[in-house]
Amino acid sequence: MVERDLAGRDIGDRAVLEAFRHVPRELFAPGAGPEEAYGDHPLPAGFGQTVSQPYIIAFMMQALSLSSGDRVLEIGTGSGYQTILIARVADFVYGVERLAPLARMARERLKNLGVENFRVRVGDGAGGWPENAPYDAVIVSAACPAVPAPLLEQLAPGGRLVAPVGGRWEQELVFYRKTGRRLERKFLVGCRFVPLIGPAGWGEEEKTT
Ligand code: SAH
């Protein structure tokens, strides 16, 4: 998967590629066999959520130019797959996940794999995690109509953010960099994420029966 879907496309960041080589994706997608787990597509994570597509995770990590000293805020931890990849290339990951059972499973998976440089809390990620701010990088893994202001506020000088911004079903990946008091913004690529739920995203989830 790494050679075919990441290096074979435009992922050249060696630390990112190396992280993917070390993380067994099947452990994050309950019920997916090895064939499925290494296809470049999202997988069910349970509770109506998805384990992100490997290429888009790699693309976001590369866009953030993560390095070993970085403290990273992750919104929408989900399965923890992206969390562990970031933990391998950065100094520390602070994850916020709205659904308690997913947060608990993510924590267990990372601990079982011997990863300790992370914390995951349950809550609405639109407020960020102010107690540990500022962050060198912020990665948003759920679609929002606009980047929630607290996330931009919690960026360190020189800090970078990526987020899927747009409609509920289709978005564009937006990149921000904070330089002094200015915010530089650019659009990277079209994408499709599950919605950010809450006042800054979309209202309550529809109940699936
Ligand atoms: N990168 C994750 C993607 C998970 S999907 C992975 O690979 O597993 C997006 C996640 O965002 C879901 O787990 C969903 O529950 C969570 N989410 C949705 N709205 C949220 C909010 N307001 N705050 C925190 N997490 C939220």
Side-chain angles (χ1 to χ4, degrees):
M1 179 189 82
V2 173
E3 307 312 323
R4 182 191 60 214
D5 301 316
L6 308 183
R9 293 178 70 186
D10 54 358
I11 307 301
D13 186 320
R14 295 169 76 127
V16 170
L17 294 172
E18 204 47 31
F20 273 87
R21 286 193 184 99
H22 283 94
V23 177
R25 191 168 183 240
E26 66 271 23
L27 300 185
F28 294 83
E35 287 262 326
E36 252 188 306
Y38 294 99
D40 188 31
H41 44 68
L43 292 169
F47 304 91
Q49 307 304 321
T50 53
V51 183
S52 304
Q53 177 193 355
Y55 175 76
I56 199 80
I57 296 179
F59 184 90
M60 291 197 287
M61 289 174 70
Q62 177 165 278
L64 289 170
S65 323
L66 295 176
S67 63
S68 57
D70 285 346
R71 298 169 69 258
V72 182
L73 174 67
E74 177 195 49
I75 307 306
T77 294
S79 68
Y81 180 58
Q82 175 179 273
T83 321
I84 190 170
L85 291 162
I86 298 171
R88 291 195 70 101
V89 306
D91 178 48
F92 205 94
V93 190
Y94 296 90
V96 187
E97 168 55 48
R98 176 179 164 267
L99 299 174
L102 283 177
R104 182 172 43 75
M105 287 192 288
R107 283 188 206 108
E108 275 168 20
R109 290 177 179 130
L110 269 69
K111 292 279 181 210
N112 289 341
L113 290 165
V115 178
E116 301 201 333
N117 56 331
F118 77 99
R119 281 178 66 196
V120 176
R121 84 167 170 87
V122 176
D124 181 1
W129 194 337
E131 291 80 1
N132 304 303
Y135 302 97
D136 302 299
V138 177
I139 186 162
V140 184
S141 293
C144 39
V147 177
L151 302 183
L152 293 168
E153 283 156 19
Q154 289 168 32
L155 273 183
R160 294 88 58 203
L161 175 148
V162 283
V165 175
R168 189 168 177 135
W169 306 110
E170 273 182 314
Q171 309 89 33
E172 270 196 277
L173 209 55
V174 183
F175 171 88
Y176 281 87
R177 186 198 304 272
K178 197 182 250 187
T179 44
R181 287 171 163 214
R182 284 195 42 234
L183 270 175
E184 169 202 329
R185 183 184 73 166
K186 61 184 176 189
F187 292 92
L188 301 177
V189 71
C191 56
R192 185 169 298 184
F193 279 77
V194 298
L196 186 87
I197 303 294
W202 280 272
E204 279 308 298
E205 239 160 334
E206 312 91 56
K207 297 270 173 284
T208 44
T209 47

